[in-house]
Amino acid sequence: MIFNCDCGAQLLLHVQYCGCCGLQTILRTTEHKVRPLRSGEERLLCANAKFTQCNWLVDTEGALCMACVVTRKVPGGDYERSFTARRKFERAKQRLLFALLRLGIFPAYAQSGEWRLEINLLEDRRQNPNVAEDWVPTGHVAGVITINANEADRVLLEATRQEFGEKYRSLLGHLRHESGHYFWQLLVAQNPEKLTAFRRLFGDERADYAESLRRYYALPAEIHGETRDDYITPYAASHPYEDWAESWAHYLHMEDALATAGELGLVLFQELNGDNFDRQLSWWMDIARIANETNASLGLRPAYLFTPSGQAKEKMRFIGDTIRQAADKAVC
């Protein structure tokens, strides 16, 4: 996301100071933007402002902001690897939550009945021999998202991506994917009409989940890299739950990238909040091609190697409609 300082310089979502004029900058969630800190707002900085460099404001002095309060467990200790992973995790989590805030479904759906959105960043013995867990799976259970700290390590992340033959793997991508599981329970599972429509498009989620994943992971890595029109990624074909979560993540990829492109004047920002999904997807494919060619000119990997079509495209459209309907309901 791109914002503007009073001096005219551009500001990024996570920055604490303007690189041009040096003013301290904050994110005010009610304004949906990063801007310079105003007189009297110093006492309303998030309690994590110094520790994790959080720049979100709060309503009550000494409190955690709505992004930091979502964090449930993080690595302990003060060693550099753990601290670096925490910083990366917090930045990615903030980007996820800010996008959901703009879309109107956070914090409105951060808690529902017994479910409360919480996110863990956990180490296992591969990173820290002092913890009890031999292996921590990245996943979602009953509102709690857990991310393995290895996903915040660029070298290990790339090694895992290559091992599974994936086109794309990122810490932010994991957070978006797992948030999809959370919102499926709130926006689909509890709505009979929406659930029926989901099953027509994605399939019956009552299929054996463990067996579906066992079959998927039994496939060789080169199969994981194949493209199918009905699914945004090969992993999406493993089970309807994963199809939804992968499609949800890619919808958020598109939405966030287009919002940034709009702020840079690359697309018509005023039209991004409309319901013309085909136009949005067309713009996104244009932006992705630009990003891919720019990366190629720098000798880097392509930024986005997916082309939603067929049923995969319709699934993303369904998710966009579901989000808008939920946001409208939250406002009412």
Side-chain angles (χ1 to χ4, degrees):
M1 300 299 297
I2 307 294
F3 307 91
N4 293 316
C5 181
D6 292 346
C7 72
Q10 292 183 334
L11 303 173
L12 302 180
L13 182 66
H14 62 271
V15 299
Q16 287 190 305
Y17 295 91
C18 174
C20 183
C21 69
L23 287 177
Q24 186 170 2
T25 56
I26 54 87
L27 187 146
R28 187 68 169 176
T29 55
T30 54
E31 300 172 18
H32 290 192
K33 68 178 182 180
V34 174
R35 60 162 173 80
L37 185 74
R38 294 172 183 160
S39 177
E41 290 181 331
E42 297 86 352
R43 64 185 183 83
L44 296 180
L45 289 169
C46 174
N48 273 344
K50 292 184 178 179
F51 181 63
T52 65
Q53 298 181 346
C54 177
N55 65 344
W56 290 35
L57 286 193
V58 298
D59 294 324
T60 304
E61 185 174 357
L64 292 172
C65 71
M66 65 171 66
C68 286
V69 77
V70 168
T71 300
R72 184 185 184 189
K73 295 180 181 179
V74 293
D78 58 359
Y79 56 97
E80 185 63 27
R81 190 172 186 274
S82 172
F83 192 67
T84 300
R86 173 76 186 277
R87 285 272 179 88
K88 291 181 178 179
F89 165 75
E90 292 294 345
R91 287 189 177 184
K93 185 198 66 179
Q94 285 181 342
R95 192 169 192 100
L96 164 71
L97 296 180
F98 184 73
L100 298 177
L101 177 71
R102 282 190 296 102
L103 289 169
I105 58 173
F106 178 80
Y109 293 91
Q111 186 163 355
S112 178
E114 297 179 356
W115 283 45
R116 175 173 176 261
L117 179 60
E118 297 179 323
I119 307 179
N120 297 326
L121 178 71
L122 299 182
E123 296 174 313
D124 55 36
R125 287 185 176 174
R126 292 176 298 172
Q127 305 110 18
N128 184 352
N130 297 318
V131 300
E133 295 79 8
D134 290 326
W135 177 66
V136 170
T138 291
H140 166 266
V141 178
V144 179
I145 293 170
T146 298
I147 304 295
N148 188 294
N150 269 348
E151 304 298 340
D153 186 305
R154 185 171 59 182
V155 174
L156 296 176
L157 185 77
E158 176 61 15
T160 305
R161 186 193 68 78
Q162 293 188 32
E163 178 184 356
F164 288 105
E166 298 170 335
K167 294 180 180 179
Y168 172 89
R169 190 181 184 96
S170 74
L171 177 58
L172 178 57
H174 279 302
L175 286 165
R176 285 174 173 161
H177 174 101
E178 300 304 337
S179 75
H181 288 303
Y182 172 81
F183 281 100
W184 185 88
Q185 290 289 342
L186 270 61
L187 307 184
V188 178
Q190 299 180 24
N191 183 330
E193 182 178 349
K194 184 67 70 173
L195 182 58
T196 298
F198 166 85
R199 287 172 177 166
R200 284 198 299 265
L201 187 57
F202 291 84
D204 194 334
E205 83 288 352
R206 293 169 293 188
D208 191 310
Y209 181 71
E211 177 59 21
S212 296
L213 291 191
R214 187 198 66 77
R215 289 197 301 267
Y216 171 78
Y217 285 114
L219 297 171
E222 55 267 24
I223 300 297
H224 294 172
E226 292 182 354
T227 301
R228 297 171 58 181
D229 285 348
D230 289 346
Y231 302 96
I232 188 66
T233 66
Y235 186 55
S238 64
H239 189 275
Y241 281 149
E242 300 306 335
D243 196 2
W244 164 273
E246 287 286 89
S247 300
W248 174 278
H250 281 261
Y251 182 86
L252 294 185
H253 291 336
M254 177 186 73
E255 195 280 334
D256 200 5
L258 282 179
T260 301
E263 289 153 3
L264 292 171
L266 300 178
V267 296
L268 299 176
F269 184 75
Q270 64 270 24
E271 297 185 28
L272 288 176
N273 294 324
D275 58 1
N276 193 328
F277 175 80
D278 292 310
R279 178 181 298 173
Q280 289 180 313
L281 183 59
S282 176
W283 283 345
W284 171 220
M285 290 294 95
D286 289 342
I287 295 299
R289 281 189 287 272
I290 292 171
N292 289 343
E293 287 305 307
T294 300
N295 275 13
S297 71
L298 297 172
L300 301 175
R301 281 180 44 77
Y304 192 81
L305 283 172
F306 305 88
T307 306
S309 61
Q311 288 292 88
K313 174 181 174 180
E314 295 310 308
K315 291 166 183 174
M316 289 178 65
R317 186 196 308 274
F318 180 86
I319 285 169
D321 291 342
T322 300
I323 289 174
R324 279 190 295 275
Q325 291 160 10
D328 290 343
K329 184 177 179 181
V331 170
C332 296

